[in-house]
Amino acid sequence: MFADRAKIFIKSGKGGDGHVSFRRELYVPAGGPDGGDGGKGGDIIFEVDPGLNTLADFRHIRKYVAKDGQPGEKKRCHGANASSLVIKVPEGTVVKDFETGKVIADMSGENRREIILRGGKGGLGNMNFATATMQAPKYAQPGQPGHELWVQLELKVIADVGLVGFPNVGKSTLLSRVSNARPKIANYHFTTLDPHLGVVDLDGNAGFVMADIPGLIEGASEGVGLGHDFLRHIERTRVLIHVVDAAGTEGRNPAEDIRTIHMELEKYNPDLLKRPMVIAANKMDAVYAEDEDPSEQLRREFEPEGIPVYPISAVSGQGVKKLLYGVYEKLQTVSRDPVIFQKEFEIEYAGDRNLPYTVERNEDGAFVVEGPRIEKMLGYTNLDSEKGFQFFQKFLKENGILDDLEAAGIQEGDTVRMYGLAFDYYK
């Protein structure tokens, strides 16, 4: 079965301990401290491997622990830094904190390699603690501990176009006809379990990647059946093709099916309904001549809503070319930037809360917040996204910055500036 989710344990390495020693050389009766520093612990790094397309490897190995740094040695020798542990994942893998479900990293787009857990810093040897009044310190600093975390890996397929619809409406047949994908096809009354990707080539070097999203059922947004497992693969697609059995060969009403799937998409993620959509009225070869054309019924109902209807037969190829070019035109109207899930969870290290910042009031009355802690936070936060801005607000509150602003006399409506970012303060 296609593996698109895994829970694993990761732990970065501990820093090596600093060393306590003193020079013991001939003709040096009172040698000073010469204990070296410990080495840094290994980082946990996630890296995209283009040769992978599932998370199957994580079924067998669920624990990933980086090595510890080596302790310092005498004669001011620095302990060796531990090598990083690199975990290879397929493109499209989203790394989440298991406890909260918040996004740590999205291994997509330009993000090919990211440090998820930093190794602990090595401790300082006693040579660093000698002073005029303490010339023979008998203590050294222990290495900082590594960090550990249970993370959830979720693979969300990356495709331009997603095929959605109830089971057995012909999605797999359509994908196999228009691309190089070869999903198993039969008259199943249950759904395909694996998402399949295929490249659709059109004339003039045009084309796109299409994904057969496993069939949805009513209640999928609540996790009924394998609902959440399937719905996550729709999130990156830019255009949706809703495939329906227009002939009603199994007694289903195509219009009702479309409304039901729309409802499930909206419950799961309302943004999905904002994406361009077309309807592929499939199995038209099974419609009898004397019957009313079901595609015309669908047109009357859905084209006023801006959803074009294309009558097709995935088996015979009837109308398929027109559908593909219609989808390609839709793709030209939406951004080609990949859908990236923004960071919502930041690993907090021992030194992060100690990074300084200042809150000052300018002559023009604006409050300026600056410092390494603020600069670091803004470096990994996308304030253009709703979740990113929520993370920003939470950071200001939990780190005491809002309290400091109030202590400095800020009032509602006053301006706050942070490294080129300006906003009005309201409780």
Side-chain angles (χ1 to χ4, degrees):
M1 183 177 173
F2 181 80
D4 61 358
R5 193 166 51 164
K7 175 187 175 184
I8 63 171
F9 174 81
I10 57 175
K11 183 178 181 180
S12 59
K14 173 186 176 297
D17 295 335
H19 189 70
V20 176
S21 62
F22 298 90
R23 291 174 60 195
R24 293 291 182 265
E25 300 175 22
L26 192 62
Y27 309 120
V28 185
D34 70 350
D37 302 340
K40 177 180 176 297
D43 297 331
I44 294 288
I45 297 176
F46 278 67
E47 184 176 86
V48 171
D49 184 342
L52 297 176
N53 54 22
T54 78
L55 299 176
D57 292 348
F58 298 100
R59 287 181 172 177
H60 311 294
I61 304 176
R62 296 181 180 271
K63 189 175 182 180
Y64 296 82
V65 180
K67 292 183 178 180
D68 297 338
Q70 295 296 309
E73 298 180 7
K74 59 184 179 181
K75 296 185 179 180
R76 297 177 175 255
C77 289
H78 194 292
N81 295 332
S83 56
S84 299
L85 177 59
V86 179
I87 302 173
K88 301 292 184 71
V89 295
E91 184 176 5
T93 300
V94 179
V95 184
K96 295 182 176 181
D97 172 53
F98 182 79
E99 293 296 327
T100 64
K102 293 184 176 180
V103 175
I104 300 172
D106 185 353
M107 307 306 295
S108 305
E110 297 180 357
N111 189 25
R112 316 300 290 181
R113 181 182 172 96
E114 182 166 342
I115 298 175
I116 302 299
L117 289 181
R118 295 204 306 263
K121 292 181 179 179
L124 298 176
N126 70 330
M127 66 177 182
N128 296 278
F129 299 104
T131 65
T133 56
M134 174 63 71
Q135 297 183 7
K138 297 180 180 179
Y139 53 85
Q141 189 180 51
Q144 290 184 356
H147 292 76
E148 58 184 54
L149 196 65
W150 282 96
V151 296
Q152 181 82 40
L153 306 182
E154 293 184 356
L155 177 58
K156 300 174 188 282
V157 299
I158 298 177
D160 299 305
V161 177
L163 298 171
V164 298
F166 275 84
N168 203 31
V169 295
K171 298 190 305 300
S172 297
T173 304
L174 177 60
L175 181 66
S176 66
R177 168 166 284 279
V178 302
S179 75
N180 56 353
R182 293 293 176 263
K184 293 180 181 178
I185 300 169
N187 188 26
Y188 297 129
H189 285 81
F190 50 89
T191 183
T192 305
L193 294 178
D194 302 349
H196 291 279
L197 292 177
V199 178
V200 179
D201 292 319
L202 302 176
D203 296 335
N205 295 322
F208 50 85
V209 178
M210 181 185 287
D212 170 17
I213 308 299
L216 302 178
I217 59 174
E218 194 165 1
S221 56
E222 278 81 42
V224 174
L226 296 176
H228 286 164
D229 294 348
F230 296 162
L231 282 162
R232 88 166 55 91
H233 293 295
I234 303 175
E235 293 186 270
R236 292 198 198 270
T237 56
R238 299 189 292 130
V239 172
L240 297 177
I241 301 178
H242 195 135
V243 184
V244 292
D245 178 1
T249 56
E250 296 187 355
R252 305 191 65 88
N253 183 308
E256 290 180 4
D257 283 357
I258 293 170
R259 296 296 184 196
T260 299
I261 297 298
H262 282 194
M263 181 178 65
E264 296 301 327
L265 296 177
E266 185 174 26
K267 286 181 181 178
Y268 180 74
N269 182 352
D271 288 341
L272 293 176
L273 288 189
K274 297 177 183 177
R275 298 182 190 175
M277 180 180 293
V278 304
I279 295 172
N282 193 24
K283 303 189 181 182
M284 292 298 293
D285 54 315
V287 176
Y288 293 104
E290 62 270 17
D291 294 339
E292 183 180 357
D293 185 349
S295 65
E296 288 300 324
Q297 297 176 23
L298 293 172
R299 281 194 174 107
R300 287 196 295 270
E301 183 163 352
F302 292 99
E303 289 196 343
E305 299 176 17
I307 305 175
V309 176
Y310 295 89
I312 69 164
S313 169
V315 171
S316 69
Q318 169 193 343
V320 169
K321 188 173 183 179
K322 187 175 181 181
L323 165 69
L324 296 179
Y325 278 96
V327 169
Y328 182 74
E329 289 178 7
K330 285 279 188 184
L331 281 170
Q332 307 317 303
T333 67
V334 293
S335 171
R336 297 199 65 86
D337 294 336
V339 177
I340 303 295
F341 295 87
Q342 301 299 332
K343 181 188 287 284
E344 303 168 330
F345 185 90
E346 179 68 16
I347 311 296
E348 187 170 282
Y349 298 95
D352 285 357
R353 283 191 174 272
N354 297 326
L355 291 174
Y357 69 90
T358 59
V359 176
E360 297 178 349
R361 189 166 193 174
N362 273 359
E363 295 179 357
D364 62 0
F367 290 79
V368 179
V369 184
E370 293 179 330
R373 195 191 307 185
I374 307 301
E375 195 169 13
K376 181 176 185 294
M377 179 272 298
L378 291 175
Y380 58 70
T381 306
N382 178 14
L383 298 180
D384 292 332
S385 73
E386 182 179 353
K387 288 186 177 180
F389 192 74
Q390 289 173 352
F391 178 84
F392 168 70
Q393 291 176 310
K394 184 179 179 182
F395 176 89
L396 296 181
K397 182 177 181 181
E398 292 185 349
N399 285 269
I401 296 167
L402 292 183
D403 293 337
D404 290 343
L405 284 167
E406 291 182 359
I410 196 168
Q411 301 294 323
E412 288 201 2
D414 286 347
T415 300
V416 180
R417 295 199 187 104
M418 297 181 183
Y419 292 100
L421 172 70
F423 60 93
D424 293 333
Y425 174 80
Y426 291 99
K427 284 189 176 182

